[in-house]
Amino acid sequence: MSPSFMFLLVGLLSALRWLHVSACGTSCPDKPVLTPSRLVVKYGDPASATCVACQRDCLPVDESVIAMEVSEGERLINGTIVNWTVGRLTAWDSEPKCYYTDKNDKQCCSRLSLTVYQPPKSVSISLNQSGPLTEHTEYILQCSVQEVAPIEKLVVTFYKGNTQLGSMRGDSTQKPPVNKLFTLSFNTSKEHNGAQFWCDAKLELGPEGPQPPPAVKSNNLTATVHYGPELKVSADPDPITITRGNTLNLTCLAEGNPEPSYSWTLPSNKGYHSGTSLTVQSVDYQDEGEYVCTVSSKLKTIHVKFNVQVQKNIWLYIIIATVVAVALLLTILAIFYFFYYKHNKMGKYQLKDVFRLGTVHHTAIPLSA
């Protein structure tokens, strides 16, 4: 038999054996037992496993074929035991199989559940647009994860500060490292202004994997949200009544980002206003009417209208009336003093005479004959 024919025959038998092993049964009663049954290894790290091929069905050993099918590493067979070791695991899709073929040419095998992982090389967060955000608008947070494996074990979580916004898992069975972009939609509010958004990518590899699970956190993204203006005072205040001559003070206050601007419309040219405040010294009737505060930003404009009524200063009339009453009282007291106190104390007049002024009393004098 020629050497070339022998080489061809050996190759054909090896191929047939490989096909046979690949199709071997896993439901046989005396199946190989692997220790550990599940192995989680970081890419580039060493790994090892032991297989006990059978308890009885592969005996005697010299009448069976016992082996372990692996893509890399060394196998040491000792009776029904196969030891596999690899110094540096670099095969992403490795699936070691321990098998035996008995004397009746029946095959039985067990597969080692092997997970080769790689934590993300980098994780970053961004928005689907640049620049400030606008209140009550939907935006998309984007978490970019680079060179992670296996993607199906990856869990990405979005956060606002310490508050979790949502989580999602990888949806691919691809084993080598991949780049993946995860997205989360949210509606902005003014509370988001200045908030810190971030995400983390975590490989949840089960109890056989590293604890705690390997995770990589992104950078912090500070949101700038434009909102408002929102009034901090009533948009329709009650009418204001003020006394003529007093000082009128009006306040118009709003909140917003960016800071809103203020302008005032007055019924007269009097008054001093600076931003949120308006002052009119010594109001008069021409200051009566509608005062309008206009609050503006690039988002919207709102108006606050103050209706001011000026009334007479009744205190002035009260003071005048009081002065007149006091003067009248003093006059009466002076008359009383002059006509009663002074003359009565001198014994010339009775009190009743004070009120009978101008009356002449005549006494008849008899004439002598």
Side-chain angles (χ1 to χ4, degrees):
M1 188 177 294
S2 66
S4 59
F5 178 77
M6 289 295 297
F7 179 79
L8 180 62
L9 181 60
V10 170
L12 181 60
L13 289 175
S14 298
L16 288 173
R17 172 170 285 187
W18 181 86
L19 289 172
H20 202 30
V21 171
S22 298
C24 69
T26 58
S27 59
C28 42
D30 189 14
K31 61 190 299 184
V33 177
L34 286 156
T35 305
S37 60
R38 186 169 186 267
L39 195 59
V40 178
V41 183
K42 185 178 180 181
Y43 180 82
D45 281 1
S48 63
T50 299
C51 174
V52 177
C54 74
Q55 298 299 320
R56 60 184 182 278
D57 289 354
C58 61
L59 300 176
V61 174
D62 56 355
E63 297 182 6
S64 300
V65 176
I66 297 174
M68 194 166 184
E69 180 184 312
V70 292
S71 59
E72 57 183 340
E74 297 180 354
R75 292 156 293 183
L76 179 61
I77 302 174
N78 183 12
T80 61
I81 299 174
V82 183
N83 290 305
W84 169 66
T85 58
V86 58
R88 186 171 182 272
L89 189 59
T90 58
W92 293 104
D93 55 355
S94 179
E95 191 180 39
K97 299 183 187 73
C98 182
Y99 68 94
Y100 67 87
T101 304
D102 63 16
K103 59 184 178 180
N104 298 319
D105 204 29
K106 292 182 180 179
Q107 287 193 339
C108 184
C109 68
S110 294
R111 291 179 173 84
L112 174 64
S113 176
L114 175 60
T115 300
V116 182
Y117 74 92
Q118 176 177 285
K121 289 293 183 69
S122 67
V123 178
S124 60
I125 192 169
S126 61
L127 279 163
N128 62 328
Q129 80 156 44
S130 59
L133 312 181
T134 303
E135 187 182 25
H136 305 310
T137 304
E138 184 177 89
Y139 294 96
I140 298 175
L141 288 169
Q142 302 173 141
C143 187
S144 176
V145 183
Q146 301 294 310
E147 296 185 51
V148 62
I151 187 66
E152 66 177 345
K153 301 295 184 181
L154 183 69
V155 177
V156 169
T157 305
F158 290 86
Y159 295 87
K160 178 177 75 73
N162 294 323
T163 303
Q164 183 174 319
L165 300 178
S167 295
M168 52 205 67
R169 289 182 172 272
D171 55 1
S172 172
T173 58
Q174 189 172 353
K175 293 185 177 181
V178 297
N179 302 331
K180 180 71 174 179
L181 184 67
F182 296 84
T183 61
L184 179 72
S185 299
F186 74 106
N187 285 305
T188 53
S189 66
K190 69 178 183 180
E191 286 74 22
H192 290 137
N193 186 48
Q196 299 281 321
F197 291 91
W198 56 282
C199 64
D200 71 2
K202 183 186 301 181
L203 279 173
E204 294 188 349
L205 300 165
E208 297 84 4
Q211 302 298 327
V216 179
K217 179 183 174 182
S218 74
N219 56 302
N220 287 337
L221 174 67
T222 303
T224 300
V225 180
H226 283 176
Y227 64 91
E230 298 176 356
L231 288 175
K232 309 299 285 185
V233 297
S234 173
D236 187 22
D238 295 332
I240 299 171
T241 301
I242 188 170
T243 302
R244 183 186 179 195
N246 287 354
T247 299
L248 175 66
N249 292 304
L250 299 177
T251 299
C252 178
L253 184 61
E255 177 188 10
N257 183 38
E259 286 290 332
S261 61
Y262 300 85
S263 61
W264 292 84
T265 303
L266 288 64
S268 67
N269 292 326
K270 287 177 60 178
Y272 169 76
H273 59 86
S274 174
T276 62
S277 300
L278 171 72
T279 302
V280 180
Q281 300 284 351
S282 186
V283 296
D284 209 337
Y285 295 118
Q286 70 267 22
D287 300 315
E288 189 174 74
E290 186 177 71
Y291 291 73
V292 181
C293 172
T294 301
V295 187
S296 302
S297 75
K298 68 177 186 178
L299 299 179
K300 64 179 179 179
T301 299
I302 52 179
H303 303 280
V304 181
K305 297 180 180 180
F306 301 88
N307 289 307
V308 177
Q309 298 174 352
V310 180
Q311 65 180 7
K312 295 179 180 180
N313 191 345
I314 60 174
W315 286 105
L316 177 62
Y317 295 98
I318 293 174
I319 293 172
I320 293 174
T322 303
V323 171
V324 170
V326 171
L328 181 60
L329 179 62
L330 291 175
T331 301
I332 292 173
L333 291 175
I335 293 173
F336 178 80
Y337 173 79
F338 182 77
F339 287 102
Y340 168 70
Y341 181 80
K342 183 176 181 181
H343 293 286
N344 192 48
K345 291 297 182 180
M346 296 174 66
K348 291 184 179 182
Y349 289 94
Q350 298 289 334
L351 178 59
K352 63 183 178 180
D353 293 332
V354 176
F355 302 100
R356 298 172 59 185
L357 296 177
T359 304
V360 180
H361 300 275
H362 299 281
T363 305
I365 301 175
L367 298 176
S368 58

